[in-house]
Structures are given as structure tokens and as C-alpha cells.
Amino acid sequence: GENVEQHPSTLSVQEGDSAVIKCTYSDSASNYFPWYKQELGKRPQLIIDIRSNVGEKKDQRIAVTLNKTAKHFSLHITETQPEDSAVYFCAANAGGTSYGKLTFGQGTILTVHP
Amino acid sequence: GAVVSQHPSWVICKSGTSVKIECRSLDFQATTMFWYRQFPKQSLMLMATSNEGSKATYEQGVEKDKFLINHASLTLSTLTVTSAHPEDSSFYICSEGRASTEAFFGQGTRLTVV
């Protein structure tokens, strides 16, 4: 089955700096790669996603890149703000099936210091 | 607004009792829904795929006799944790299984077994 590895597990940055979180996946059939932000005790919140027919996608301060050959994708947050502090998860859909059947990375605790 | 409604949001039960968690799709006829479990400070792990009108498909290592899933209608899937024990205490969350759009998660259920 799909295996998703996420690094780093913790990331501390100063306000205004950039943050990068990286993930690798194992199933070459995966074709959907979402990124989630999760606050304690709440559901994951989709912040950006990318499909396998696209190499990069950007939404304001957030961007995601995908390298299908190397099977890795990354989240880039620019101009970080304290409210960006949260746990971030990458995910990939298993076997290229439903976008709801997801394998998650281990998570990254992002702390943005004012 | 929310497209997936999950209840209850939290529940405390005694060891040995059973607990039912409901997941309702509010705007979509979901033939497939997914159940995840998240232990404290860990990632979301897929437990099972709930299939409307047929048996659920369980991930490796998940006891199907302990975690009973019923998907009797296109808008409702239920997860029953039978004979709950303290080690079953976790955050349980469901999602819709749409083919090619983002996954919509329920609010999650915090289960505490005492």
C-alpha cells in the first residue's frame, strides 16, 4: 500500500520567514496530493492540493510543488505569520482511487515566532 | 457550511460498553465513506472504507468485529466501537469518498474510555 513520509516533524521559524515541508510517497498510482492544517481537536482543514497532471500550484502565500518522477511533493509558505502555527499534514490518495481514501504523512508542527 | 456532519463531537464511556458514532453526508449521496483514527500527537490513520449496501473494507490491523461499520443509506455511515477499552480512546473522524474532488471531513469525535 501507499506509504507517505513527511519531514521535518517540527519546524520553527521567525515571522516573515518562509517554511518548507517535504513529503515522499511510494505508490506511483497516486494522483492527488492534499495538504492539511489541523488545530487541536478539530478536523483537518484543506489548505492546498495538487493533482498529478500539474507540477506546481500557488494560492497567495502558499504553494505546492510535485515531482512525480521522484515521488515527492513540498509545501511552501512564504511570509509566515503567527497564525500559521499549527500541525500540517501531507497526504496522498491510495492507488489513484477516490480523493477521500488518503494516506497521511506523520505531520509537522510549525511554530512561527513573532 | 459543513457538508459532513459527525456526532457526537465527544463521548465518555465506561470500559466494556459500546459507542456509536454517526457520520452524515448533507449534500451528497455518498456510496463510499472513510473512517480514520487519530491518537494524540499522531497522524490520521485510515481504519476502513464504508460501502453503502455492502460490507466495509478494513485496513490491515483493524479488528472488524470490534469496529462495526454500517452504511445503510447514501447519507449515513455509523461506526460502533464495541467493548471499548481505554486503548480505544482516540479521535475518530469520517470523510466522504468523492471521486475527484477534495475530501470533506466530519467534525470528529473524541472518544474517552474510562
Side-chain angles (χ1 to χ4, degrees), chain B residues 15-90:
Chain B
S15 186
T17 62
S18 296
V19 174
K20 180 184 285 188
I21 302 169
E22 292 188 347
C23 183
R24 291 184 183 275
S25 176
L26 302 180
D27 71 337
F28 180 70
Q29 293 187 322
T31 56
T32 304
M33 300 181 85
F34 300 97
W35 287 95
Y36 295 85
R37 178 170 55 184
Q38 185 177 30
F39 290 111
K41 297 184 179 181
Q42 294 189 25
S43 186
L44 287 82
M45 296 290 290
L46 179 66
M47 298 176 65
T49 302
S50 175
N51 304 299
E52 187 268 335
S54 64
K55 292 182 178 180
T57 305
Y58 291 82
E59 295 300 304
Q60 191 173 9
V62 178
E63 301 175 59
K64 62 179 182 180
D65 294 329
K66 181 171 182 61
F67 299 99
L68 301 180
I69 291 173
N70 184 277
H71 195 151
S73 77
L74 289 171
T75 59
L76 176 65
S77 175
T78 61
L79 168 68
T80 301
V81 183
T82 63
S83 187
H85 291 285
E87 56 265 33
D88 298 323
S89 298
S90 187

Side-chain angles (χ1 to χ4, degrees), chain A residues 73-96:
Chain A
F73 56 114
S74 301
L75 176 71
H76 304 253
I77 305 174
T78 60
E79 301 172 31
T80 54
Q81 302 166 3
E83 50 265 40
D84 293 329
S85 297
V87 182
Y88 291 82
F89 292 98
C90 64
N93 66 326

Side-chain angles (χ1 to χ4, degrees), chain A residues 45-113:
Chain A
Q45 175 192 354
L46 180 71
I47 57 172
I48 196 167
D49 57 12
I50 192 167
R51 288 153 176 80
S52 60
N53 59 346
V54 176
E56 183 174 0
K57 183 178 178 180
K58 187 175 182 179
D59 182 4
Q60 299 184 337
R61 298 187 296 111
I62 296 173
V64 56
T65 58
L66 171 65
N67 183 326
K68 286 192 297 181
T69 302
K71 296 196 186 71
H72 66 70
F73 56 114
S74 301
L75 176 71
H76 304 253
I77 305 174
T78 60
E79 301 172 31
T80 54
Q81 302 166 3
E83 50 265 40
D84 293 329
S85 297
V87 182
Y88 291 82
F89 292 98
C90 64
N93 66 326
T97 58
S98 165
Y99 284 18
K101 187 174 184 179
L102 299 170
T103 300
F104 285 81
Q106 296 87 340
T108 297
I109 301 172
L110 174 63
T111 304
V112 181
H113 299 282

